[in-house]
Amino acid sequence: MDITKVTRPARKLLPLKQCGAVIVAAGSASRMGGIDKVMAPLGGEPMIVRTVRAFQNCDAIASIVIVTREDLIRPISGLCRDMKKVIAVVAGGSSRQESVRLGLNALPKGTKLAAVHDGARPLISWQLIDRVVRAANTYGAAAPAIPVKDTIKVVEGGLVRDTPDRATLQAVQTPQVFDFDLLRGALKKAEEDGAAVTDDCSAVERTGMKIKLVEGDERNLKVTTPMDLKIAELLLEETQ
C-alpha cells in the first residue's frame, strides 16, 4: 500500500504591528556611588547612546521615546539627534510606573505595541529586541528571561522561610513588550489600586494576562552598581 506523505502547512506569521519603544532612564542611580550611570562612559561613549542605538538599529521598532530626568533632557537630546527614530525625550515622574506612562503618552498615534526597556541595559542587541517584539506580536505580552543560577531563599526577619525550586525560576529582563492598550490599562489599574509593581510584566499579570517568555541574553545585564559597569566594559571589550 502506498503511503502518502502529508505535509503540514507552515504556520502563518502575523503581520508585524507598529511598535514604539519607551526607554526609561529617569532613575537617581543611588547605588552607583556618585556616578551618573545614564551618562557614564562605556566603550568611549555614554551608556544611554549604546542602549538607544540598539533600538534604532532594530527594524521591528518604529519610534523611540526616552524618559529621563529634567536636567538630562537637553544633553540626551543632543547625543541622540542623529537617531531618526527618537521622536521625543521627556521628563520622567516620581516613580517608574509614572515614567513609563509618560513615555507611552509621547508615542505616536497608531502605535499598537509598546516595548519598555531599562536605559541601564546598554548591551541589549537588536536581535533580542526583534525576538521579543515578534513574540508580543503573537501573544500580546512578552519578555526575555534567563534561568536563575543561584539557589534563592525566601527570607523573613533574617531567617529562611522557604527555598523555591530553582528549576521553576527565571530572571526577567527588558525589553518587555505588550499590546499598547493592555499595558496602558494595566499601569492605570495598578496606580488606582496603589499596587507597587517592580516591572511592567507585574502590572500586566495583575490583569490575568499571561506573559510569553523568550530566551534572554546573559550579556543584557542591568548596570546598577560600579561593579556592574566594570563587567559591562569587559563584555564590550570581548566583542570589539
Side-chain angles (χ1 to χ4, degrees), residues 109-162:
K109 291 183 178 179
T111 300
K112 300 300 183 183
L113 295 174
V116 183
H117 185 66
D118 298 321
R121 291 185 187 268
L123 301 185
I124 181 68
S125 67
W126 71 261
Q127 292 92 338
L128 179 54
I129 298 168
D130 183 85
R131 193 156 67 238
V132 184
V133 171
R134 292 183 185 279
N137 193 64
T138 300
Y139 295 94
I146 57 175
V148 171
K149 295 180 179 178
D150 296 324
T151 297
I152 304 298
K153 301 290 184 181
V154 179
V155 178
E156 281 186 1
L159 299 174
V160 174
R161 181 170 63 83
D162 191 21

Side-chain angles (χ1 to χ4, degrees), residues 88-236:
V89 181
V90 301
S94 58
S95 66
R96 189 183 187 282
Q97 287 172 247
E98 186 179 1
S99 293
V100 173
R101 180 178 59 79
L102 292 168
L104 293 175
N105 290 343
L107 287 173
K109 291 183 178 179
T111 300
K112 300 300 183 183
L113 295 174
V116 183
H117 185 66
D118 298 321
R121 291 185 187 268
L123 301 185
I124 181 68
S125 67
W126 71 261
Q127 292 92 338
L128 179 54
I129 298 168
D130 183 85
R131 193 156 67 238
V132 184
V133 171
R134 292 183 185 279
N137 193 64
T138 300
Y139 295 94
I146 57 175
V148 171
K149 295 180 179 178
D150 296 324
T151 297
I152 304 298
K153 301 290 184 181
V154 179
V155 178
E156 281 186 1
L159 299 174
V160 174
R161 181 170 63 83
D162 191 21
T163 303
D165 180 2
R166 188 172 62 188
T168 67
L169 301 176
Q170 295 213 21
V172 177
Q173 303 175 329
T174 66
Q176 298 175 1
V177 188
F178 310 92
D179 174 88
F180 182 88
D181 292 331
L182 170 66
L183 176 58
R184 188 163 59 176
L187 290 172
K188 181 180 180 181
K189 184 68 166 60
E191 184 179 359
E192 291 172 349
D193 293 347
V197 294
T198 56
D199 69 350
D200 303 292
C201 281
S202 299
V204 171
E205 287 164 26
R206 295 183 73 253
T207 71
M209 183 72 175
K210 300 296 183 182
I211 312 296
K212 175 65 175 178
L213 294 185
V214 303
E215 183 180 357
D217 184 352
E218 289 188 345
R219 291 169 49 86
N220 185 27
L221 81 166
K222 185 176 182 181
V223 176
T224 304
T225 67
M227 179 62 73
D228 295 331
L229 186 58
K230 291 179 180 178
I231 293 171
E233 283 280 7
L234 290 172
L235 290 172
L236 192 60

